[in-house]
Every structure is written in structure tokens, then in C-alpha cells.
Amino acid sequence: MLDIQFVRDNAELVAKKSKQKGYDVDVEQLLGFDRERRELLQQVEDLRRQRNELSSQTKGQKPSDEQVKAGRDIKDKLAKLEHQLAAIDKEFVELLKQVPNMPLDDVPVGSSEDENQVAKKVGESPKFDFEPKNHAQIAEAKGWLDKERAAKVTGARFAYIKGDLVQLQFAIIQFVLSKLTDQSFLDEVIKENSLEISNKPFVPVLPPLMLRTDVYDAMDRLEPRDDRYKIEGEELWLQGSAEHVLGSMHADEILSESDLPVRYIGYATSFRREAGSYGKDMEGMFRMHQFDKLEMESLTDGDSGLQEHLFLIAIQEKLMQLLGIPYQVLHKCTADIGKPNARGVDIEAWLPGQGKYRETHTADYMTDYQARRLKTRVKRGDGRIELVHTNDATALALSRTPIAIIENYQTKDGNINIPEALKPFMATRPAV
RNA sequence: GGAGGGGUCGCAUAGUGGUCUAGUGCGCCGUCUUGGAAAGGCGGUAUAGGGGCAACUCUAUCGAGGGUUCAAAUCCCUCUCCCUCCGCCA
């Protein structure tokens, strides 16, 4: 949620930038509710003051008939006004919640994901002296992926992942954890990218995979609800990404400045209904209802929020480089960064089997927009209380990273090589 | 799933309808005393919102939301979280 004071001071800008993100917000109406709300609030507070004065006059004695009558009078007026205020306030908050975060100035303006900009391409796509297969062909032939049996049990977009592919997944997990908890690795990334930021290591977290409706809504990631799984009979949802449960961890807290940056590397199974993507990416395990993911989440002060965002992207890139997967970095345009985002970057890995770059990572920078509703704050050294800035970013997605490895490292005889960086973490090797 | 007990200021506690503008202790900050410190004295110590150029002031918040009442930390209802015991379970 935006700060209403910011909206008051920048009405035109808010209208314009909201529109750039594809949100048609009636800022005039919002400010009208704001004025009305404040007027009523003053009247209500004045009546409450009168009530407090009246009841403190009685000092333990029985009130006189006159006092009771005056009190009753205040009570009636107050009830009426409070009712009005609650109604206005509800509309006001609803409208304010609809205003998206303001994109930073360097976010390209665009009306659909087609206007995302390729910032750079890294790595050479591998040359094959044979026709490269896609991951589904390889994995199914190897017995690593069984979707037919999964269909019996759960329906479409689920799979049994088996054998060496499981080993690969666990190796990736260990690889990521070993890097993100290693200060010297972070120092290297900071140095290579000339960042000015803490080298505090990430804390590994296994978060709960469900969260409450109100918390999900406060994170501003519940919508569209059609894409979420609701637990029947409970105010609980299956999380769609570890950031949903990591970012909300410190809701309603005032952190001390020395706690920052808070950095988590979470490992969680994510669930998505994939509503509206019927028939898309049905082959293999590219788009599933359930997939595991390693996700970075950071809470920082406002001064270092943007640096943190760049840092998380630099980590994403470094991990991809270590794995030797060719990729491109995409600056998402205003229409594609998402409602709470101020800036968003995707990384797309080269998939030889598809002959395309496909999304494997996202990095989201929310400034203080998410923290405002979560009430996650920090007490600065000078005593001021500020909202934290939130950042999240995929470290590596499981299913899509293995897909990229399978397709880029495939051999003519249908085996795959293991990237050097993962070899120390493999319990067994699929092939050489 | 069943039974019971709880949630009050950073922490620990007091508070069973008006004297709560929430007391006390600890912690923390400032200050006095001191050569310096300890001890002690004094003062301060939450969050959110409204009004005001400001000093300041008003309102709300005792887990959350409703209700009763002229008046609610206190009474009633619903929810939530924690603890204990039983059952079940990895």
C-alpha cells in the first residue's frame, strides 16, 4: 500500500504511474474519501474527548441524571458518526489498496510483457552435432519423470520425479545453500559488481507452506486468487512462492537497525493452479502445479533497498554462470512488474530443446509498499521508526534449473553431463 | 478431536465497572552527586492516526473483532495464539 500522504502530495504522478502499470485508479475519488474521512475523524475524536471528560468528572461517584443524559446524548451522536466513518474508511482503504506501487524511473514503460527489455545476454549457447532433445524426451526416456502415473493420482501438471533427477535436485539445493551462506562468495559478488552493501550471509529457512488469508493479502500476493490453492474449511492457502511466507515472517515487528539486512534463503515447495494457462507448456515439467524453489528474501532499510535488489540479481547471475547455463536478463516493463513492485527483473535460461530463452528467475523490489501493510519496521540509530524495504528473488527454481541443465548438458547418446560446480554435491552421477 | 488455564508498556508483574491519564520492579536514555566510577536522587522512556508554522495537543490501542453501559484492561459473545493434561500421530 502507498503512503496516503504521498498520494496527497503527488496526485498527478500517482495517476500517471498507475496507468503505466495498467491500473486505472481514480485518484480524485480516493482523495475525496480521504478528505471526508478526516473531517469525520475530527468530529468523532471531538465527541470521544467529550465522553472522556464527562466520565472522568464522576470520580467514582454515581453520575447525576444530567450527566447520564449528556452521556447518552454523546453516545447517540457518536454511534451515528462512527458508523459513517467506518463506511467511508472502508471505501477509502479499499481504494488505496488498489493503487499499485510506483515504478522506479529506470523501469521501461510498456503495456504488456512484450515490451520487456533484454538488458544483456550471457554465455554461449552450446553447439550440438546432433538435434538436441527437449528435457521431457530425455527425462522420460531415462525414467526420471513419470507424468502418466501422476495423472492417475493427481491429474495433469503433476509428476513423479525419480532416480538421478532427484539426486540432481538435492545437489542444486546444497550448491545454493553452500554459496549463500559463504561470506567469501558474497564478497566476490559484491566486488565484481561494485556494490556498496553488507556481506551478511543468508540464513537458510524451511518455512511453513501455508499462510493465512489476511497475511497473504497484506503481502499483496494473494490476487488473483484463482491461481492459489485454498484449504477447504480453513482461512489458509498453499503458498505460491517462498517469498509469501518469508516476507511476512516479521509482520508487526519493529526490528533494530543492527538486525538489518535480514537475509533468508528459503527452500519450499510452491503451489500454483496455473489458471488461464490451459494447454500451455504441457510437455515435461516446465509448468507444474507443484515445484520446489530456493528463494532469497531480504529486509533492508530504505537507503540500501535498491542496492540489495541489484545484489540479489548479481547473485542470480553468478549462480547461473557457475552452472554454465546461458541466460538473458530482462528488465520488466511497467505492465509486467506486478502491483507491489517498484522494479522487477527476470532471468531467462537458454533451453536448446525449445530453441528459446525461458523464464527461470524473478527479482522483485517492493520499496516500502509491502512493509506498510505488513507493519514491518526498523528503528534507526537516531530513533526514527521507518518501514523496511522488501526484496525477493529466485535463487534457483527446481524443475526449471534441472530442465536447463538437462537440455544444455545433453550428449548425443541421451545422457547428460553434470556441471562442474555441482559435482561435489552429487551423491551419484547420471553420466559422464 | 476433548478438558482446563492464560495473553496487560522492551522484560517481569499489579490491576474484577468510574480514583487507569494503566501502578510497581528491572532494563534503557538523560541529569545531579564524584577526581572517576558504583550506589543513590531526579526526570524521561510505546505505536498509529488527526489538528497545529511550532511549542504542543487530541484520539485510538491492555491478543483481535463485536456487544452491554452515561462510563470497559475489568462484564458478555466470536475468533486467534500460547501453556497443561487426555486422545491421535511422524
Side-chain angles (χ1 to χ4, degrees), chain A residues 27-55:
Chain A
V27 177
E28 279 315 308
Q29 192 182 26
L30 175 63
L31 292 177
F33 283 142
D34 180 43
R35 277 190 296 272
E36 219 175 319
R37 181 184 65 101
R38 277 190 291 170
E39 261 171 49
L40 274 168
L41 189 63
Q42 279 177 49
Q43 293 174 40
V44 165
E45 286 186 354
D46 189 56
L47 280 169
R48 283 178 185 160
R49 184 183 52 76
Q50 289 176 37
R51 181 184 64 189
N52 291 344
E53 277 173 4
L54 188 66
S55 72

Side-chain angles (χ1 to χ4, degrees), chain A residues 29-275:
Chain A
Q29 192 182 26
L30 175 63
L31 292 177
F33 283 142
D34 180 43
R35 277 190 296 272
E36 219 175 319
R37 181 184 65 101
R38 277 190 291 170
E39 261 171 49
L40 274 168
L41 189 63
Q42 279 177 49
Q43 293 174 40
V44 165
E45 286 186 354
D46 189 56
L47 280 169
R48 283 178 185 160
R49 184 183 52 76
Q50 289 176 37
R51 181 184 64 189
N52 291 344
E53 277 173 4
L54 188 66
S55 72
S56 65
Q57 275 169 22
T58 57
K59 295 276 177 204
Q61 298 146 24
K62 285 226 162 178
S64 66
D65 288 350
E66 256 169 65
Q67 282 170 326
V68 171
K69 188 178 174 297
R72 203 168 271 154
D73 192 43
I74 290 170
K75 187 185 175 177
D76 292 343
K77 281 188 195 158
L78 197 52
K80 215 183 240 173
L81 284 176
E82 278 179 336
H83 187 74
Q84 279 180 42
L85 178 63
I88 288 286
D89 196 60
K90 189 169 173 238
E91 294 204 67
F92 167 74
V93 172
E94 277 310 308
L95 209 52
L96 182 57
K97 274 161 65 176
Q98 284 172 33
V99 183
N101 199 2
M102 300 291 100
L104 298 188
D105 288 338
D106 70 341
V107 174
V109 176
S111 55
S112 81
E113 61 176 9
D114 299 333
E115 291 173 77
N116 293 342
Q117 288 177 5
V118 177
K120 62 172 166 179
K121 291 178 192 282
V122 177
E124 294 286 314
S125 48
K127 302 280 176 280
F128 298 102
D129 56 2
F130 57 93
E131 187 65 28
K133 297 187 175 107
N134 70 31
H135 80 278
Q137 293 164 327
I138 298 166
E140 278 164 26
K142 282 284 185 187
W144 293 337
L145 190 63
D146 185 345
K147 290 176 72 183
E148 279 186 37
R149 290 198 174 90
K152 285 194 298 192
V153 177
T154 53
R157 291 203 196 280
F158 285 95
Y160 286 96
I161 293 170
K162 301 189 299 181
D164 289 329
L165 189 48
V166 175
Q167 301 286 3
L168 180 64
Q169 171 156 334
F170 279 97
I172 292 169
I173 296 165
Q174 289 300 338
F175 164 68
V176 169
L177 291 182
S178 75
K179 292 298 173 191
L180 294 198
T181 55
D182 175 6
Q183 215 156 43
S184 63
F185 171 78
L186 301 181
D187 281 330
E188 197 181 326
V189 174
I190 290 167
K191 197 173 165 210
E192 284 172 4
N193 293 274
S194 313
L195 296 169
E196 289 190 13
I197 195 137
S198 156
N199 65 351
K200 191 172 167 183
F202 289 75
V203 176
V205 180
L206 293 173
L209 303 185
M210 296 182 201
L211 68 165
R212 299 153 166 274
T213 306
D214 54 340
V215 174
Y216 218 156
D217 191 45
M219 280 293 286
D220 224 316
R221 297 288 188 196
L222 181 55
E223 306 294 341
R225 296 183 185 211
D226 282 357
D227 202 36
R228 305 283 176 230
Y229 285 103
K230 176 84 193 290
I231 305 297
E232 194 178 352
E234 308 257 352
E235 282 305 316
L236 280 174
W237 303 73
L238 286 171
Q239 52 95 5
S241 171
E243 51 125 337
H244 302 159
V245 278
L246 293 172
S248 47
M249 215 169 141
H250 294 282
D252 277 315
E253 289 182 27
I254 300 176
L255 302 164
S256 95
E257 197 170 49
S258 58
D259 295 332
L260 301 185
V262 171
R263 285 181 178 150
Y264 295 123
I265 172 67
Y267 173 71
T269 303
S270 300
F271 301 90
R272 298 185 184 179
R273 293 190 61 218
E274 294 293 347

Side-chain angles (χ1 to χ4, degrees), chain A residues 198 200 250 254-263 298-304 308 376-380 386-389:
Chain A
S198 156
K200 191 172 167 183
H250 294 282
I254 300 176
L255 302 164
S256 95
E257 197 170 49
S258 58
D259 295 332
L260 301 185
V262 171
R263 285 181 178 150
S298 295
L299 309 178
T300 64
D301 60 45
D303 300 329
S304 40
E308 186 78 9
T376 306
R377 290 152 295 172
V378 54
K379 188 164 198 166
R380 301 298 296 266
E386 292 175 358
L387 293 164
V388 300
H389 279 218

